Amino acid sequence: MTMVNELAALARQAIAEPKAASAEVLRLGVPNDVIWPALGLIIVMSVIINSIAEFLSPNPMESVPPFTLVFFVAGVFIGFSLAIWKIGRLMGGQGTLQDAFLLTAFLQGIVLVAQIIQLLLLILMPMVAGLFSLVVTVLGVWLNVNFIGSLHGFDSLGRSFAVFFLASLAVAVLIVILASMAGITIGGAI
């Protein structure tokens, strides 16, 4: 079984058993020279899909140049990985930074597949696309919390959720900083 097939099987398993699937991903021993290109490819693909979805949207928002968006999304992914690693370690976790990046890439690979499905739904059944987006968001939080537990060896989902919450707050601040540096407007008029 190739690495891609194994990761695809683990992605399917992650929906039903996220902690077990993420623990298995960590056991694969994926080297850094594979993690970074994979994460980069996922970021670029995600930006392309979002750009297509924005183009097809009946109410397009202010457009951000794709090149700028790639760096913005990369900053968010890297910032979140650093935050879940560091905050988790401060809370007694045992995870490594490399494993945090690996699980971020794995999760974003799953999200990328969901984005492709959502894009198809936007084209074929726009009303269902919004509901699907909500389901993917909830699933993303659930997977993140379980992946954090697996990363740090937490027995409690409560500690994993605390790390997720605090990391999300840290990334929210990072988003505001990166957006202002990139000239991206967050929110609308009050």
Side-chain angles (χ1 to χ4, degrees), residues 24-146:
E24 187 59 34
V25 168
L26 293 175
R27 279 192 286 276
L28 292 175
V30 179
N32 270 337
D33 60 345
V34 172
I35 296 170
W36 285 104
L39 190 55
L41 179 62
I42 290 166
I43 289 168
V44 169
M45 300 260 320
S46 179
V47 168
I48 290 169
I49 291 167
N50 279 330
S51 297
I52 293 169
E54 188 63 34
F55 177 76
L56 295 174
S57 174
N59 300 316
M61 297 170 51
E62 181 181 327
S63 181
V64 177
F67 188 73
T68 301
L69 197 53
V70 165
F71 283 103
F72 179 79
V73 172
V76 170
F77 286 174
I78 291 168
F80 190 74
S81 298
L82 286 167
I84 63 170
W85 167 69
K86 190 61 176 174
I87 293 167
R89 296 287 292 207
L90 291 171
M91 294 180 69
Q94 303 302 312
T96 67
L97 183 56
Q98 177 179 344
D99 287 345
F101 283 121
L102 174 60
L103 287 178
T104 296
F106 180 62
L107 176 63
Q108 292 310 316
I110 294 170
V111 170
L112 180 64
V113 172
Q115 285 179 302
I116 293 168
I117 294 168
Q118 185 175 359
L119 180 61
L120 293 173
L121 287 173
L122 183 64
I123 294 167
L124 302 173
M125 297 180 282
M127 299 297 282
V128 177
L131 179 60
F132 183 76
S133 177
L134 178 63
V135 169
V136 169
T137 300
V138 171
L139 180 64
V141 170
W142 175 247
L143 291 176
N144 253 309
V145 169
N146 279 279

